[in-house]
Amino acid sequence: MITGLLEAQRALALRPVDEILGVLDRVTERWLDPADPVRQEAEREIVRSTGLAPAMIRRGLDDMIHRVQGLPLALDNDLGTREALDGFCWRAPGMLSRAWGPGLLTCIFSGNVPGLPAFDMAMGLALKSAVLVRPPAEEPVFAGLFARTVMEEDEGLGRCLGVVRWGHEETWPYGQAGAVLAYGSDRTIAEIRRLVPPGVRFVGHGHKISFALVAREACDTATARRLAYDVTMYDQQGCVSPHMAFVERGGDLTPLAFAQAVGEELARLAQEMPRRRVSPEEAMALRGARDEAEFTADAVYGSQGDLAWAVIHHETPAFLPSTLNRLLRSFAVDDLAQVGPVVAPYRGYLQTAAFAGPPERRVAMAEALGSLGVSRVCAVGRVQEPSPLWRHDGHPTVGSLVRWTDIEGGEANSR
Amino acid sequence: MERELQAIFAGAPFDFGEVALRTFARQYERCAPYRRYCDARGKAPGTFGDWREVPHLPVTAFKHARIYSGAGEPGHYFQTSGTTAGPELRGRHWFENLDLYRACATPVFQRFVLGGRERMPMLMLAMDPAVNPHSSLSTYLKWQDEAFGVPGQGGWFVDESGLRVAELERALAAVDGPVALLGTAFAFVHLVDSGLKCRLPAGSLIMETGGFKGKSREVGRGELYDLIRGALGPDVICINQYGMTEMSSNCYDQTQVTGSVRKGGPAWVAVRMLDPETLAEVEVGQPGVVAIADLANLYSCAFLLTQDIGIMYEDGFEILGRAPGAEAKGCSIALDEFLAATAVKKS
């Protein structure tokens, strides 16, 4: 498989980046067409394999494909100009630079967010690299279908994509790779890192915890509805999904009333996008958290008769992750400035902070939380739509995968 | 209801559902935290006719609230054991007095563990209740010794420093007939790990209970029994007790009663397996969360929802163990994983 991919990549390396992006444009247009048979098959199969609600899959796939459409912007942003992938470009007076993709990009995806492979697969192709993909067991179909649409639009590009599942101990996918990109638990990431030879760039996205901040100026039902949407999407399994919400006192709603309002919207969304059937272990975890909360929390709002959703409210802040599967912990604070010290001990885990409030306070919060490791501040209600420009977990997404050749003293000496 | 329960413990016929509903009404009235729990579910006495609809209180409640339905102030409490993993909250089981507890403990033990025998030397792989008065296991074992033990032949072989192997070895050498070794599962692990070897007289038995809770290496029950038989002789009868501090009664393997290693309990205990999502009873043969109605829990709450997973069969039930923590599927992290990961980093 590797031989075939590397051979196809040699031809890809000769094509201009905009030509590749043109093919990807056609691919994304197809994926955004609800009538396209591959899109329909993907929706069906993802629902079947993950159990996630069909309406959620439709929205989620649109989000993922929109992110791919931002790829030219991401390339220009990380590389100065994407033309650096086609030849030497002026980077600074007296400095010509050219970027090289990894040649072969090996990707290991986790199954928590269907459609996740789209961006990285497209990015690999735009970097004129073959992409070897190990799709997750829980959602094995999307990557293959995405590769199929690329093949249908451009065979040369299609032959640069290989989708196959391999054993956890197998090393062949890594030896000839220029870069390896992996998503998973900290343990999974550590295991893969061990198999990747020295000298091969390794980018691992391990365990992350995200949370929401609600300033008093935005403590209203509209924010509550948006937060409930963030919790509902992917049944809260995304690394960007909020576990906790810190809610400031003094707004339209008390933090308690805000928690209740989130619950009401979670209940509504549970009708529109029912939670998937969870394993007995997950159900026990949900039940355990709710049972514990009945005797320790200040309020518990939850579905009756099942474990479809819950909001556990505390009047004093703490850092306590969720069981996931649509269980949000809300904490009242007098001032959002209290949140920094609460989350500080967990800096290695912090990722997305969803913020609702005035822009000037957003910058102040980002300043405080950024120093603690938070890599993304976005609007409440938009956590599942990260900008293609977001530096995933704080490091350049495209920039981490390319290698550069620089010519020093270019302009003056080259004449 | 004490007199009625005493009669039930002695074998008097009774209608489980009727007694259960009366117990519920009494505990709903007397125990405010339990009443709040029931009210939140819209379940008050007199609003339904099937005892199975009685809300089962999560055992975690014993850690956070005083679950007490006795008269006046409680006369005693037992405390759950902590784990070495951290300074977690311990639960307390409150009693008006221990008369009922004692009255239900001995007949069941005699039937399920002693197989009807009247007397047997008992060696305890547990702490003396004089040292550890709030251990329900130690108290229970003391009563069994008083009821069925042989004076002068027995003793307590665990203290703060662990299992006193040499003393146990001497005590075992001194008995000449069948003997019972009773204690915690992890004490038996320490016993087999100590290298102690002796061949117990025919008819000897062991009863072990509880998990390992970080106090010894984790061993599967089958493997533990193989190790015990390797150390104490191939014919040793091994019985597991399933109980918890929050219960007054216990369930046991039915080896000595019906020959089945699946578990059963006394007539005043009902064990059911529920779907953790809906709390509807699951079918025979399907795993579910263990729900227990123990009518002997008159002074606290008779209706308990445990954190164990079990399967009911026609001939008894099996406990699969504490529900393992749930894991998230990718770069997200769920509560249990997070707690495990941060516990590792702290230790």
Side-chain angles (χ1 to χ4, degrees), chain A residues 170-181:
Chain A
E170 291 182 45
T171 54
W172 64 266
Y174 310 113
Q176 295 178 71
V180 174
L181 179 57

Side-chain angles (χ1 to χ4, degrees), chain A residues 208 243 275 287 292 294, chain B residues 41 60 64 276-277 331 333:
Chain A
K208 290 293 173 220
H243 285 243
R275 198 208 64 205
R287 186 159 290 287
E292 187 89 5
E294 295 228 22
Chain B
R41 282 150 188 77
T60 187
H64 305 292
E277 172 92 36
C331 44
I333 182 168

Side-chain angles (χ1 to χ4, degrees), chain A residues 248-315:
Chain A
E248 207 171 45
R249 293 189 178 96
D252 271 2
L253 296 178
T254 62
L256 180 72
F258 183 83
Q260 188 174 7
V262 175
E264 280 161 15
E265 182 68 0
L266 285 172
R268 197 190 66 74
L269 288 168
Q271 300 295 316
E272 188 185 324
M273 300 189 276
R275 198 208 64 205
R276 72 191 221 291
R277 194 177 159 71
V278 297
S279 70
E281 288 77 19
E282 289 173 299
M284 286 294 285
L286 283 166
R287 186 159 290 287
R290 282 170 69 157
D291 287 348
E292 187 89 5
E294 295 228 22
F295 298 95
T296 56
D298 292 300
V300 182
Y301 302 103
S303 53
Q304 296 281 326
D306 61 23
L307 302 167
W309 61 270
V311 182
I312 294 174
H313 178 73
H314 297 265
E315 286 292 331

Side-chain angles (χ1 to χ4, degrees), chain B residues 227-248:
Chain B
L227 291 168
I228 289 172
R229 292 189 178 110
L232 303 177
D235 301 323
V236 173
I237 300 160
C238 296
I239 296 162
N240 171 246
Q241 180 208 60
Y242 176 66
M244 58 198 74
T245 304
E246 297 87 348
M247 289 171 71
S248 297

Side-chain angles (χ1 to χ4, degrees), chain B residues 75-255:
Chain B
H76 197 81
Y77 69 86
F78 291 125
Q79 184 158 278
T80 58
S81 55
T83 70
T84 55
E88 67 178 35
L89 274 173
R90 292 180 173 206
R92 284 183 178 182
H93 186 178
W94 299 93
F95 294 85
E96 185 179 316
N97 61 65
L98 296 178
D99 296 349
L100 281 175
Y101 194 104
R102 181 169 192 161
C104 75
T106 45
V108 186
F109 176 84
Q110 186 179 28
R111 178 167 159 231
F112 283 92
V113 181
L114 298 184
R117 262 186 292 245
E118 296 289 336
R119 295 237 158 248
M120 208 171 179
M122 293 184 186
L123 282 60
M124 308 305 190
L125 273 56
M127 278 182 37
D128 189 329
V131 181
N132 200 9
H134 295 296
S135 157
S136 55
L137 178 67
S138 293
T139 305
Y140 159 98
L141 292 175
K142 184 183 76 167
W143 290 335
Q144 308 306 349
D145 190 44
E146 287 169 9
F148 309 111
V150 178
Q153 294 186 43
W156 302 84
F157 297 93
V158 171
D159 59 24
E160 272 93 0
S161 60
L163 182 67
R164 298 204 305 272
V165 180
E167 275 178 57
L168 176 65
E169 207 160 5
R170 277 197 296 279
L172 284 171
V175 295
D176 52 4
V179 59
L181 269 65
L182 314 169
T184 57
F186 61 83
F188 279 95
V189 175
H190 290 311
L191 183 154
V192 297
D193 285 351
S194 75
L196 180 145
K197 286 261 188 266
C198 74
R199 196 176 181 109
L200 298 184
S204 295
L205 61 91
I206 70 105
M207 183 204 82
E208 50 76 33
T209 188
F212 303 97
K213 294 181 182 171
K215 289 175 177 167
S216 73
R217 63 197 174 97
E218 300 265 338
V219 181
R221 195 131 266 129
E223 189 194 347
L224 178 60
Y225 290 179
D226 287 345
L227 291 168
I228 289 172
R229 292 189 178 110
L232 303 177
D235 301 323
V236 173
I237 300 160
C238 296
I239 296 162
N240 171 246
Q241 180 208 60
Y242 176 66
M244 58 198 74
T245 304
E246 297 87 348
M247 289 171 71
S248 297
S249 309
N250 293 288
C251 297
Y252 302 87
D253 298 350
Q254 299 178 93
T255 320

Side-chain angles (χ1 to χ4, degrees), chain A residues 197-412:
Chain A
V200 175
R201 264 154 299 154
F202 180 82
V203 178
H205 296 294
H207 278 151
K208 290 293 173 220
I209 293 176
S210 296
F211 54 93
L213 304 161
V214 179
R216 63 177 69 85
E217 295 88 341
C219 190
D220 52 31
T221 47
T223 302
R225 281 201 291 272
R226 286 195 277 269
L227 178 57
Y229 178 77
D230 287 341
V231 172
T232 297
M233 280 302 282
Y234 307 115
D235 294 348
Q236 214 180 356
Q237 299 276 344
C239 53
V240 297
S241 304
H243 285 243
M244 293 160 264
F246 298 97
V247 184
E248 207 171 45
R249 293 189 178 96
D252 271 2
L253 296 178
T254 62
L256 180 72
F258 183 83
Q260 188 174 7
V262 175
E264 280 161 15
E265 182 68 0
L266 285 172
R268 197 190 66 74
L269 288 168
Q271 300 295 316
E272 188 185 324
M273 300 189 276
R275 198 208 64 205
R276 72 191 221 291
R277 194 177 159 71
V278 297
S279 70
E281 288 77 19
E282 289 173 299
M284 286 294 285
L286 283 166
R287 186 159 290 287
R290 282 170 69 157
D291 287 348
E292 187 89 5
E294 295 228 22
F295 298 95
T296 56
D298 292 300
V300 182
Y301 302 103
S303 53
Q304 296 281 326
D306 61 23
L307 302 167
W309 61 270
V311 182
I312 294 174
H313 178 73
H314 297 265
E315 286 292 331
T316 47
F319 189 92
L320 192 58
S322 166
T323 55
L324 308 183
N325 296 312
R326 306 195 194 183
L327 182 144
L328 179 74
R329 298 182 192 275
S330 79
F331 298 96
V333 291
D334 289 328
D335 192 294
L336 286 179
Q338 286 172 266
V339 175
V342 170
V343 303
Y346 308 96
R347 58 167 61 221
Y349 288 108
L350 307 181
Q351 192 211 56
T352 296
F355 178 86
E360 64 278 9
R361 295 196 63 195
R362 182 174 60 208
V363 174
M365 282 313 298
E367 185 76 29
L369 296 172
S371 73
L372 300 172
V374 166
S375 63
R376 174 175 171 235
V377 176
C378 70
V380 168
R382 303 295 294 273
V383 300
Q384 302 294 350
E385 300 154 64
S387 159
L389 296 185
W390 172 42
R391 298 181 173 100
H392 195 147
D393 293 345
H395 301 284
T397 309
V398 177
S400 298
L401 298 176
V402 297
R403 180 175 60 76
W404 289 91
T405 302
D406 299 322
I407 305 176
E408 295 175 8
E411 196 164 24

